[in-house]
Amino acid sequence: MRIATTIFLTDRTVSPVRLARSLEERGFSGLYLPEHTHIPVVRDTGAPMGGELPEMYGRTLDPFVALAQAAAVTERLRLGTGITLVAQHDPIDLAKQIATLDHLSGGRFTLGIGYGWNVEEAADHGVDWATRRELVRDRMALMRALWAPEPTAYVGEFSSVQASAAHPKPVQAPRELGPGVPLYGPRTLIGGAAGPKLFAAIADHADGWLPIGGRGLTESMPVLRQVWETAGRDPKSLQVIPYAVQPTPGKMAHYADLGLEEIVLQLPSSGEPEVLRTLDDFAQYL
């Protein structure tokens, strides 16, 4: 299994450059970063883990800027978002950011996407919470039009773009959504809890699933595979990557038994000494 990591990088933690170099030197496969533009201090939305929301959520670095720094000082380390809040972005701008990072890193970028949990944060971006899933699907379709090899127009429910010259293109080769239907762009994984809506979206426009914490995969993976194959997707192409995992030897052995090829371990949102100590501890799983 490839062992990647994720961390809430902030203005008070280890820097992206130091972390990326340390990961590559130790043989870790990747670095994924979360995204929050801001956290309204007055909100009705509860923290996803319960209790008080940790300060790091409101201090996160922009993932694309931080990953660009990481790309510049590494050669093999894979780079990803976990997750990009697509509904909170202008899709034309986001398509350019993603394609540029994938181009400059030599095709090392993975786009982890999701629908978010913070109603108030999304509202400040003009997002209607009830239709955010449809909005994300629409914006992904628009971005794929811009990533297509030839100028391609897109008209959707929420947004549109004219057939345009749009470069650079993502490095990664297109995959198949179905016979003769290409999937353009970098590897795309959708994060979220297991359920019919999520699994339908994964089969519709992604390469796989980022299950947060990785619990319940024994029961969930056969359901996702069935949805995937019913949609006409290649059974061998589905990727399931447990995300933000607190590892134990038993848990890692279980993932290996499930045939998973990549695991993303959670690093503490801390300064360099603590992060490097954690990496040394995680080295047992490499």
Side-chain angles (χ1 to χ4, degrees):
M1 293 188 298
R2 299 189 303 274
I3 306 299
T5 61
T6 184
I7 182 175
F8 278 83
L9 285 180
T10 78
D11 55 332
R12 295 177 174 176
T13 66
V14 61
S15 73
V17 167
R18 288 289 296 141
L19 177 57
R21 285 174 169 159
S22 298
L23 288 168
E24 187 160 89
E25 288 167 0
R26 287 165 169 77
F28 289 90
S29 67
L31 171 63
Y32 292 74
L33 298 180
E35 174 183 48
H36 282 286
T37 54
H38 66 299
I39 301 293
V41 295
V42 177
R43 64 182 198 282
D44 294 325
T45 309
M49 72 294 294
E52 291 295 319
L53 188 69
E55 184 185 38
M56 62 191 182
Y57 278 77
R59 305 191 76 99
T60 53
L61 301 184
D62 178 276
F64 291 98
V65 175
L67 289 170
Q69 281 200 331
V73 298
T74 57
E75 296 180 353
R76 301 176 306 279
L77 190 73
R78 300 184 184 196
L79 312 159
T81 52
I83 57 167
T84 296
L85 296 165
V86 174
Q88 297 181 184
H89 287 268
D90 177 292
I92 299 174
D93 286 341
L94 184 58
K96 174 70 78 172
Q97 285 179 282
I98 290 167
T100 299
L101 182 53
D102 196 51
H103 168 74
L104 292 177
S105 67
R108 288 186 278 152
F109 182 65
T110 291
L111 176 62
I113 68 172
Y115 307 107
W117 59 267
N118 192 329
V119 177
E120 289 80 9
E121 177 185 357
D124 283 345
H125 288 277
V127 176
D128 177 358
W129 193 250
T131 60
R132 71 194 187 284
R133 291 176 182 270
E134 293 79 9
L135 177 62
V136 168
R137 185 183 188 279
D138 186 78
R139 290 186 170 174
M140 290 302 302
L142 184 150
M143 291 195 292
R144 295 198 193 286
L146 291 170
W147 295 332
E150 301 297 331
T152 303
Y154 175 78
V155 178
E157 180 182 357
F158 300 95
S159 54
S160 63
V161 67
Q162 302 173 58
S164 303
H167 294 268
K169 301 297 183 184
V171 174
Q172 297 168 57
R175 289 78 66 203
E176 281 199 347
L177 280 172
V181 181
L183 179 65
Y184 297 116
R187 179 175 72 155
T188 301
L189 307 170
I190 304 183
K197 289 183 179 180
L198 183 78
F199 288 174
I202 292 170
D204 179 70
H205 57 268
D207 296 287
W209 182 26
L210 276 179
I212 309 302
R215 291 181 292 276
L217 292 182
T218 302
E219 297 76 26
S220 298
M221 284 179 58
V223 179
L224 174 56
R225 285 198 185 100
Q226 182 61 54
V227 174
W228 182 267
E229 294 179 29
T230 299
R233 304 293 299 271
D234 179 356
K236 296 180 181 178
S237 67
L238 174 62
Q239 300 179 51
V240 176
I241 301 172
Y243 187 79
V245 170
Q246 298 290 347
T248 65
K251 190 182 295 185
M252 300 298 279
H254 174 59
Y255 295 149
D257 290 342
L258 290 174
L260 304 183
E261 297 181 354
E262 181 179 359
I263 312 297
V264 182
L265 306 184
Q266 180 70 61
L267 292 170
S269 181
S270 303
E272 187 172 329
E274 184 177 351
V275 169
L276 295 186
R277 284 194 297 270
T278 305
L279 287 181
D280 291 338
D281 181 54
F282 285 174
Q284 65 182 293
Y285 303 114
L286 294 174

